[in-house]
Amino acid sequence: MSPPAQPGVPGGRGSKVPPARKLLCMCSLSLCLTYLCYSLMGGTGPGALRSPAALSGTAAPRSPAALPGTAVPGAPRSPAALPGTAAPRSPASPPGSSSAPAPSAAPTRASNSSREGAAGAWLRTPLAPGEVITAQSGAFERDPQESSTTDEELSRAGSPGSRGGGGSTTPDYGEKRLPQALIIGVKKGGTRALLEAIRAHPDVRAVGTEPHFFDRNYEKGLEWYRNVMPKTLDGQITMEKTPSYFVTNEAPRRIHSMAKDTKLIVVVRNPVTRAISDYTQTLSKKPEIPTFEVLAFKNRTLGLIDASWSAIRIGIYALHLENWLQYFPLSQILFVSGERLITDPAGEMAKVQDFLGLKRIVTEKHFYFNKTKGFPCLKKPEDSSAPRCLGKSKGRTHPKIDPDVIHRLRKFYKPFNVMFYQMTGQDFQWEQEESDK
């Protein structure tokens, strides 16, 4: 049985239509009608009404029902379904878990047709039917997250003597516990910087690798998850970070099933800058992919943003947050500014330590600003050793993006940003930041 509605919690089960979803559906309808009219008038873009089989180099599409993990568009969906994840493996609670809410029906996804040109080779992550901005969607595939953690790495992370937090190795004494706090997102928001900073606290032990338990490894069970964690003493907090949790439909229910009092931390960043950073990371691994401008639009002439592309979709924070608020109150979720984590790391870390109920030990003495990389590095205030900076994969130079594309993305995100501010009670001032540039 699903958790009951939480009075006073925005986006709870008591709401008939979540406001963020209503706004996105209205945008979808308006843009789809525009796109359809353009097609009927003989448009030559990818939305023109032509037989899919007539497209050069493309095969006739299969029936949606024949595609693995997809369903016919318009199929019933769970009210909690949000854009962002493939169908879950097994919705059942993992072995060793306590009595948990009955799993809701798995969201369905539909892949409708192939994309023309170079962009067709770049696979995307879909939105649910009715949540896409445009009429068509490409073939879909989950994008790799910030780090791809292997079973071998997780095994090493959970073994005695592995580094589990702070500045030393995990002791052979203590007990392995399920985490009491999670950094759940967002990708390219600053989650690694936050994790490294909080690990400097002596009362925090955190696994360095991303377990991906609540999205990819859930069927392995809670005992497997517990064994991945470092050993802790009484009074210490066990933590982990996996940025993809924030956009995983099943994650809130699964985490609530593990422990309903789990504290959640979300690092958010200007969604336009975050999308470009996301693309930059992928470009460094796959230099053959199309340009950012090609991937960001379904039809650039009409200004139709492709919200099925994960780099764009992740930044619609209000939509994802609605899913979490069905299981957790705002009081259990801390939103950290990715921008202020760079400009004022000590200030943001003070909020994090207060949220976790920790003494403020990580202060300005722990940070040194590296002008070359453009963000703070950690140092030990008690000695003169060199500051420890994040790896070379952080702080990459972004490619130059057409200013018109940036402007269109800002307009696209603005209503969702405003809604996110209202839901969280925090103004991250991303619009002000953009007007100052």
Side-chain angles (χ1 to χ4, degrees):
M1 183 173 62
S2 299
Q6 299 184 25
V9 176
R13 293 192 184 277
S15 303
K16 291 184 178 179
V17 180
R21 193 179 316 289
K22 184 176 181 181
L23 175 61
L24 187 56
C25 287
M26 290 173 65
C27 292
S28 301
L29 180 60
S30 174
L31 290 174
C32 284
L33 289 174
T34 303
Y35 203 50
L36 181 60
C37 291
Y38 175 77
S39 300
L40 292 174
M41 288 189 292
T44 58
L49 297 180
R50 291 177 291 165
S51 168
L55 297 177
S56 176
T58 61
R62 292 180 289 169
S63 166
L67 298 176
T70 63
V72 179
R77 301 168 50 244
S78 164
L82 291 175
T85 59
R89 296 180 179 88
S90 171
S93 298
S97 63
S98 58
S99 178
S104 56
T108 58
R109 301 290 183 265
S111 176
N112 298 326
S113 63
S114 299
R115 177 187 292 271
E116 290 183 278
W122 182 236
L123 301 179
R124 300 172 181 252
T125 308
L127 291 172
E131 292 177 337
V132 291
I133 294 298
T134 56
Q136 291 182 318
S137 59
F140 298 124
E141 181 179 86
R142 180 185 299 279
D143 282 355
Q145 289 298 321
E146 191 167 335
S147 69
S148 183
T149 308
T150 64
D151 286 343
E152 183 180 353
E153 290 172 325
L154 290 173
S155 177
R156 287 200 303 268
S159 64
S162 64
R163 185 171 179 267
S168 60
T169 58
T170 302
D172 287 336
Y173 49 85
E175 181 181 347
K176 291 191 175 187
R177 298 176 173 89
L178 292 171
Q180 297 94 43
L182 302 172
I183 300 174
I184 60 173
V186 299
K187 180 185 178 186
K188 307 310 297 178
T191 57
R192 173 57 60 179
L194 175 62
L195 180 72
E196 293 304 315
I198 197 61
R199 289 172 84 186
H201 199 292
D203 290 335
V204 172
R205 295 291 175 195
V207 61
T209 51
E210 296 175 3
H212 285 280
F213 176 65
F214 296 104
D215 59 348
R216 302 180 190 172
N217 296 308
Y218 193 63
E219 80 287 347
K220 294 183 179 180
L222 286 173
E223 284 309 308
W224 175 90
Y225 188 43
R226 189 197 310 272
N227 195 52
V228 169
M229 298 298 132
K231 290 182 178 180
T232 56
L233 303 175
D234 289 341
Q236 290 183 321
I237 295 176
T238 304
M239 293 184 63
E240 70 112 321
K241 77 107 177 170
T242 303
S244 54
Y245 290 164
F246 188 63
V247 297
T248 298
N249 291 338
E250 298 78 22
R253 173 178 54 80
R254 290 172 173 178
I255 295 172
H256 186 273
S257 174
M258 176 188 74
K260 62 182 179 181
D261 59 348
T262 303
K263 293 186 176 182
L264 309 171
I265 301 176
V266 188
V267 187
V268 290
R269 181 183 183 187
N270 185 321
V272 177
T273 310
R274 197 222 65 82
I276 297 173
S277 180
D278 197 334
Y279 172 79
T280 302
Q281 175 176 286
T282 305
L283 183 65
S284 70
K285 300 174 181 177
K286 300 180 179 180
E288 74 281 1
I289 66 172
T291 64
F292 182 89
E293 290 83 351
V294 169
L295 294 169
F297 291 93
K298 280 288 189 180
N299 185 301
R300 187 171 175 182
T301 303
L302 296 177
L304 301 179
I305 301 294
D306 189 355
S308 68
W309 183 28
S310 66
I312 300 295
R313 184 195 77 255
I314 290 173
I316 308 177
Y317 302 138
L319 268 175
H320 306 305
L321 180 57
E322 283 177 346
N323 194 24
W324 289 88
L325 291 178
Q326 295 185 50
Y327 294 89
F328 296 94
L330 273 175
S331 59
Q332 281 180 234
I333 309 175
L334 177 67
F335 300 93
V336 175
S337 167
E339 288 82 11
R340 289 195 291 271
L341 200 56
I342 295 174
T343 60
D344 182 22
E348 288 302 288
M349 289 309 300
K351 298 175 185 176
V352 173
Q353 291 170 97
D354 290 347
F355 175 70
L356 295 175
L358 299 170
K359 183 179 179 181
R360 291 187 181 183
I361 291 179
V362 180
T363 64
E364 62 275 356
K365 297 178 182 179
H366 285 77
F367 298 99
Y368 165 80
F369 189 82
N370 186 308
K371 294 181 179 179
T372 303
K373 295 187 79 67
F375 50 74
C377 298
L378 280 170
K379 65 177 182 178
K380 294 181 179 180
E382 66 274 7
D383 61 37
S384 58
S385 59
R388 183 164 56 87
C389 298
L390 297 179
K392 62 181 181 179
S393 64
K394 309 300 179 183
R396 297 185 184 96
T397 301
H398 291 178
K400 184 175 178 58
I401 306 297
D402 187 333
D404 178 64
V405 173
I406 301 295
H407 175 70
R408 289 173 184 255
L409 283 175
R410 288 173 179 169
K411 289 182 64 177
F412 169 77
Y413 279 121
K414 185 174 181 178
F416 297 107
N417 290 345
V418 171
M419 187 171 296
F420 183 65
Y421 300 162
Q422 293 172 344
M423 295 170 73
T424 61
Q426 294 179 241
D427 185 353
F428 291 91
Q429 300 182 332
W430 291 321
E431 288 71 30
Q432 180 64 38
E433 169 193 322
E434 292 164 348
S435 65
D436 291 342
K437 293 182 179 178

